[in-house]
Amino acid sequence: MAQPQTVYLTGRERTFGEDEIIVSKTDVKGRLTYANPVFINLAGFPERELIGAPHSIVRHPDMPRCVFKLLWDTIMAGHEIFAYVVNRSCNGDHYWVFAHVTPSRDASGNILGFHSNRRVPNRRVLNDVIIPLYADLLVEENRHANAKEGMTAGFNKLVSLLKSKGIEYDEFIFSL
């Protein structure tokens, strides 16, 4: 399993094909149990270092924690979610995805883990909406010395934005 390390950001964006899908599965704690070749290639880690590692091994520091809070709250409640996510490769490159995350259940309906499919995101939506929104949420999160307070403040800002538009998160994402 990969060990935490300091990775500097390169500013280079990696891409993948419109016909490719990134697939991963995790247990309920977010540890990777499966990664397809597209994920392995973009993340840049050998498969043996990914399996068993927390999915956050590819977390990019420009990704607001409050969006992950929303994601985890949603999937732990047994619902699916769609979200734009920026990830970091092992060498410090980054790549954007449009993720669809769903709970995986046993025969009794208990959540066993999560399945995520990621596709190439719409570049216009990224540039015009998501990147500025995430930058704004990060500013709010970083205004607080305590990371948990910052995440909560960013989450509240996101909820207020959605409320001002009179829509739920999923409606917002699909209106873009």
Side-chain angles (χ1 to χ4, degrees), residues 1-126:
M1 179 169 62
Q3 298 300 313
Q5 57 184 337
T6 301
V7 176
Y8 299 97
L9 303 178
T10 65
R12 287 187 307 262
E13 183 169 357
R14 290 185 178 197
T15 59
F16 57 107
E18 293 278 343
D19 61 337
E20 293 182 297
I21 299 174
I22 300 169
V23 180
S24 62
K25 296 179 184 181
T26 68
D27 63 17
V28 292
K29 299 284 188 187
R31 291 181 299 256
L32 287 159
T33 59
Y34 172 79
N36 79 337
V38 181
F39 180 82
I40 293 166
N41 180 54
L42 283 166
F45 289 98
E47 182 177 19
R48 70 182 180 286
E49 290 186 27
L50 287 171
I51 303 305
H55 202 291
S56 61
I57 193 169
V58 295
R59 186 185 184 286
H60 193 285
D62 289 346
M63 186 66 202
R65 294 177 73 227
C66 64
V67 175
F68 284 124
K69 175 184 174 9
L70 175 67
L71 185 146
W72 277 101
D73 288 353
T74 303
I75 62 177
M76 290 302 286
H79 305 289
E80 68 181 345
I81 191 168
F82 290 84
Y84 289 88
V85 177
V86 61
N87 287 320
R88 179 179 63 193
S89 300
C90 72
N91 72 341
D93 291 353
H94 67 279
Y95 57 99
W96 281 95
V97 300
F98 184 58
H100 177 213
V101 186
T102 59
S104 300
R105 300 176 186 274
D106 66 15
S108 300
N110 300 309
I111 296 174
L112 297 173
F114 305 99
H115 182 138
S116 180
N117 292 326
R118 275 98 66 210
R119 298 183 183 278
V120 172
N122 180 307
R123 179 51 63 177
R124 181 199 56 78
V125 170
L126 284 179

